[in-house]
Amino acid sequence: MCGIVGYIGQREAWQIIVKGLKRLEYRGYDSAGVALVDQQHINHYKKTGKVSDLEAAAAGANLQGRTGIGHTRWATHGEPSDRNAHPHLSEDGRLAIVHNGIIENYGPLKEELSSRGHVFQSDTDTEVLIHLIADILAEEKTDLLEAVRIALTQVIGAYAILVTDREHPEQLIAARKGSPMVIGVGNGEYFIASDASPIIEYTRNVIYLKDREIAFINGGELLIKTIDNEVQTPYIQKLEMQLEMLEKAGYDHFMLKEIHEQPRSIRDCMRGRIYPQEGKVQLGGIKEYADKLRNAERIIIVACGTSWHAGLVGEYLIEEFARIPVGVEYASEFRYRNPIITERDIVIAISQSGETADTMAAIELAKERGATILGICNVVGSSIPRLTHGGVYTHAGPEIGVASTKAFTAQVTVLTLIAMYAAQLRGTLAQSKLVELLTSLEDIPTLVEKTLACDQATQYIAAEIKDATNAIFLGRGVGFPVALEGALKLKEISYIHAEGYPAAEMKHGPIALIDEEMPVVVIATQNSSYEKVISNIQEVKARKGRVIAIVTEGDTAVRALADYVIEIPDADEAFLPLLATIPLQLLSYHTALLRGCNVDQPRNLAKSVTVE
Ligand code: M6R
């Protein structure tokens, strides 16, 4: 939530910052701003709307400065407006700050500062922090680094901040706690950002700042210390990401590109991890916890949104293959319950971004209570992999569309591998069955490729449903989480209200909604619940609902009942989510396009939810 970019070096900062902010817009896009330090002045520009609106608003202004900070916002405290957009300045205009996160105790801090005469221009928590820093700077007669450090010891909450000082254009300060921050190390220049995407084209050498660390760049030198004043040795890593991964590669939208990348991303996710002929799964990142997995009494999966849906698929697969009881929890609820967790529990945290605040809090809670925590994350170097004991990266590559697509299928792939790995450890599946399953799994990327051929059919159906105000998605077994995911995709990008239900639950309430206007999307592939789902479709048709069915290639029975069918290739039931999700992603995409929605940046959302 919120993206920040900073630059200090010999180049003009504006272009670097604006380009970087555009790459980070997935993190928030309700307003943007930049502050540039030029000849002992801070010029700052802020605008409600996208980074391109800021660019237009600043055209013709003085955009010079070799030190600068920028921000693209997802509002938490204070409505989206020019006034509340970052950067925020100290009262005397000497300091500027950009901030990602929430200062939870901003209320008492603001009261205290107001009582001492501070006047605030915005409704944000961030402005309180820059006033506090300025106050300490004046009162304590110290330098900026020390003032920032002291201020941060008084702050409760999460932050990634950048601070500049017009009296010291050669200095830039960055600090983080609970929100990500990467420092790109160039030749006498530094690029700082919420993730590596704004940095990659300038340098591959990066430092992932750790929680409670402050980076002080001064005249080309970098010093890192903790908030407790302990100097740290910077650990420089090489970025593995490719620049092309951050571009649309000829597609109209990132979402469409990411949908089409799924054969590749699923293949990358399995690479080096499956040995079909031997019936063996190898997961290096959790190998150390093999005994724990073998003896686990229970697995608890914690996640949010799409990742939670992947967790539900994991529940089916782990229980089916490894016979370990699984509970799937919304991280946001789990963290505020008093859950019963023992040392024999394994908690699997799933997160594309690796930064979701609720998921991180759930991990901390389970860790305190002695559970073993395993992570399934996509973003390498993000916070969750650092919080967990072990884990498996999904290797889906950067996902930029706010609606999660390839990350979901990669998470499901990893969960499938974990289920088989646990089965292998516990001896709950015969070796021959493992060989059979892994042989089919290896084929899934090719089947996903075939499934993508339904693009035209989904376009056609999208035109038929685009004016609907509601939609229902139904599925049974592993088809149920697919239905939930289909509904979430449709509502988040097309703004059509959509609900996912287990097909048999429909008659316990939602059936009352069905009329000739209501699209009902049913996962009706040929698997163990096929006959039951056919009955559910009949119930919908009897009430004149419009049925869109996802069916197995060559199906005739459902075709005879449904208004529209989309065929997917036949595969083992366990792998159904990897195929059946694809047409639902495409259906949402085309429906949203026809409704004129911003597919990659739907309203009110952000890709990485770093606030509760
Ligand atoms: O990064 P995470 O996987 O932890 O994010 C969780 C949710 O915010 C995310 O899946 C969200 O629901 C997606 N935008 C849905 O497409």
Side-chain angles (χ1 to χ4, degrees):
M1 237 119 209
C2 302
I4 61 184
V5 183
Y7 173 77
I8 183 163
Q10 309 78 26
R11 312 185 208 203
E12 290 299 327
W14 170 262
Q15 279 306 334
I16 295 169
I17 293 172
V18 164
K19 197 169 184 192
L21 290 178
K22 286 184 179 167
R23 293 238 168 92
L24 291 182
E25 262 187 326
Y26 72 87
R27 300 179 67 88
Y29 34 83
D30 60 42
S31 52
V34 171
L36 300 166
V37 191
D38 181 39
Q39 300 186 357
Q40 311 229 309
H41 266 91
I42 292 184
N43 296 315
H44 72 296
Y45 307 97
K46 314 204 285 186
K47 193 75 202 147
T48 312
K50 300 271 166 75
V51 179
S52 52
D53 297 311
L54 170 71
E55 253 184 319
N62 173 11
L63 300 177
Q64 288 189 337
R66 294 175 182 184
T67 300
I69 57 178
H71 189 268
T72 176
R73 180 169 186 245
W74 187 89
T76 56
H77 292 67
E79 56 166 14
S81 64
D82 293 358
R83 196 168 60 86
N84 286 331
H86 299 212
H88 292 283
L89 268 60
S90 56
E91 270 175 298
D92 58 3
R94 175 179 162 184
L95 309 175
I97 189 170
V98 290
H99 166 222
N100 167 28
I102 291 185
I103 310 297
E104 287 169 16
N105 59 336
Y106 86 104
L109 289 173
K110 190 170 185 174
E111 240 169 69
E112 163 71 20
L113 289 162
S114 300
S115 72
R116 300 227 304 278
H118 284 261
V119 178
F120 295 88
Q121 307 295 327
S122 76
D123 310 318
T124 65
D125 50 340
T126 307
E127 194 189 1
V128 175
L129 181 54
I130 199 65
H131 281 238
L132 177 63
I133 294 169
D135 199 79
I136 295 168
L137 196 58
E139 293 294 312
E140 308 278 330
K141 309 260 178 295
T142 182
D143 59 22
L144 182 60
L145 174 62
E146 186 58 5
V148 170
R149 192 189 71 74
I150 297 172
L152 294 179
T153 60
Q154 298 178 23
V155 154
I156 301 171
Y159 54 80
I161 57 164
L162 292 175
V163 180
T164 53
D165 178 356
R166 73 172 176 213
E167 290 182 11
H168 292 283
E170 76 289 2
Q171 296 182 354
L172 183 61
I173 294 181
R176 72 155 276 182
K177 181 177 157 245
S179 295
M181 177 85 89
V182 190
I183 302 174
V185 182
N187 192 4
E189 57 183 351
Y190 295 87
F191 308 82
I192 304 123
S194 302
D195 74 27
S197 60
I199 297 174
I200 179 85
E201 64 196 272
Y202 308 106
T203 176
R204 292 196 162 268
N205 297 330
V206 294
I207 299 164
Y208 289 94
L209 207 61
K210 298 198 190 86
D211 268 351
R212 297 173 53 80
E213 281 185 347
I214 307 174
F216 178 51
I217 300 159
N218 186 10
E221 296 299 319
L222 170 71
L223 168 76
I224 297 183
K225 56 160 75 175
T226 67
I227 291 168
D228 306 318
N229 226 355
E230 288 160 7
V231 174
Q232 305 291 299
T233 311
Y235 170 53
I236 301 182
Q237 288 175 253
K238 283 263 177 250
L239 276 179
E240 281 180 14
M241 183 194 288
Q242 306 304 321
L243 191 56
E244 309 81 75
M245 290 174 165
L246 305 170
E247 281 158 5
K248 288 189 197 148
Y251 286 95
D252 289 341
H253 297 93
F254 281 110
M255 182 182 178
L256 189 61
K257 174 187 172 224
E258 287 155 8
I259 291 172
H260 281 272
E261 276 176 344
Q262 289 175 106
R264 197 259 323 134
S265 54
I266 297 174
R267 204 170 274 127
D268 284 353
C269 180
M270 295 193 291
R271 181 165 298 125
R273 292 171 170 167
I274 64 168
Y275 300 87
Q277 285 162 0
E278 298 164 49
K280 200 171 122 197
V281 176
Q282 206 165 281
L283 295 171
I286 61 172
K287 195 168 71 186
E288 218 183 301
Y289 300 95
D291 276 343
K292 291 263 183 197
L293 206 49
R294 188 180 291 113
N295 301 317
E297 286 185 346
R298 184 173 59 144
I299 290 178
I300 303 167
I301 296 179
V302 291
C304 302
T306 287
S307 299
W308 185 79
H309 297 156
L312 290 178
V313 177
E315 177 184 28
Y316 281 91
L317 298 180
I318 296 170
E319 290 194 344
E320 177 70 22
F321 294 164
R323 309 304 297 149
I324 307 173
V326 180
V328 187
E329 304 265 0
Y330 281 118
S332 53
E333 288 298 315
F334 183 79
R335 65 181 289 193
Y336 286 117
R337 284 212 328 264
N338 185 8
I340 299 161
I341 306 168
T342 75
E343 287 176 5
R344 297 191 66 181
D345 287 331
I346 291 188
V347 171
I348 300 181
I350 310 175
S351 175
Q352 186 287 129
S353 61
E355 301 291 347
T356 301
D358 285 321
T359 309
M360 285 168 62
I363 293 172
E364 301 276 15
L365 175 70
K367 219 170 163 185
E368 270 165 32
R369 298 189 179 187
T372 299
I373 323 288
L374 306 179
I376 299 178
C377 286
N378 192 37
V379 178
V380 177
S382 56
S383 299
I384 290 180
R386 273 185 262 146
L387 282 180
T388 51
H389 295 109
V392 185
Y393 277 117
T394 48
H395 297 315
E399 189 181 68
I400 293 166
V402 164
S404 194
T405 53
K406 64 174 179 172
F408 173 75
T409 47
Q411 289 165 343
V412 169
T413 305
V414 168
L415 285 158
T416 309
L417 298 183
I418 291 179
M420 289 191 210
Y421 180 60
Q424 167 188 310
L425 293 170
R426 292 161 63 88
T428 45
L429 281 184
Q431 192 64 13
S432 56
K433 184 68 186 171
L434 276 167
V435 170
E436 182 194 316
L437 283 170
L438 286 169
T439 308
S440 326
L441 185 62
E442 197 179 29
D443 219 23
I444 288 293
T446 310
L447 299 185
V448 170
E449 199 133 25
K450 273 183 88 180
T451 308
L452 286 165
C454 70
D455 190 43
Q456 278 223 316
T458 56
Q459 266 186 59
Y460 177 79
I461 300 167
E464 299 291 308
I465 66 164
K466 72 174 186 358
D467 297 320
T469 45
N470 296 291
I472 291 185
F473 288 68
L474 302 175
R476 298 183 83 127
V478 276
F480 166 51
V482 173
L484 289 175
E485 178 57 10
L488 176 59
K489 283 299 82 100
L490 189 69
K491 73 182 123 187
E492 77 179 315
I493 62 167
S494 77
Y495 318 141
I496 294 175
H497 170 238
E499 296 292 336
Y501 266 93
E505 273 294 303
M506 186 186 57
K507 55 187 165 300
H508 298 288
I511 199 163
L513 294 168
I514 291 172
D515 59 17
E516 56 276 14
E517 301 299 322
M518 174 74 93
V520 182
V521 181
V522 189
I523 316 302
T525 48
Q526 279 162 12
N527 55 44
S528 55
S529 48
Y530 181 61
E531 302 297 336
K532 305 269 181 217
V533 171
I534 290 186
S535 307
N536 299 136
I537 293 177
Q538 266 156 344
E539 289 157 9
V540 174
K541 284 315 298 173
R543 278 131 193 113
K544 301 195 166 45
R546 284 191 286 166
V547 172
I548 298 151
I550 311 300
V551 300
T552 308
E553 238 167 15
D555 181 283
T556 51
V558 176
R559 187 177 284 274
L561 288 171
D563 298 77
Y564 313 98
V565 294
I566 303 172
E567 290 194 340
I568 63 171
D570 194 15
D572 191 289
E573 184 168 354
F575 309 138
L576 164 72
L578 294 172
L579 302 179
T581 307
I582 312 286
L584 304 189
Q585 295 169 343
L586 286 166
L587 185 63
S588 305
Y589 172 79
H590 289 300
T591 308
L593 264 194
L594 291 171
R595 288 167 66 91
C597 301
N598 185 338
V599 173
D600 282 337
Q601 295 175 346
R603 69 185 178 205
N604 303 339
L605 288 171
K607 182 85 184 150
S608 124
V609 185
T610 55
V611 295
E612 338 181 1

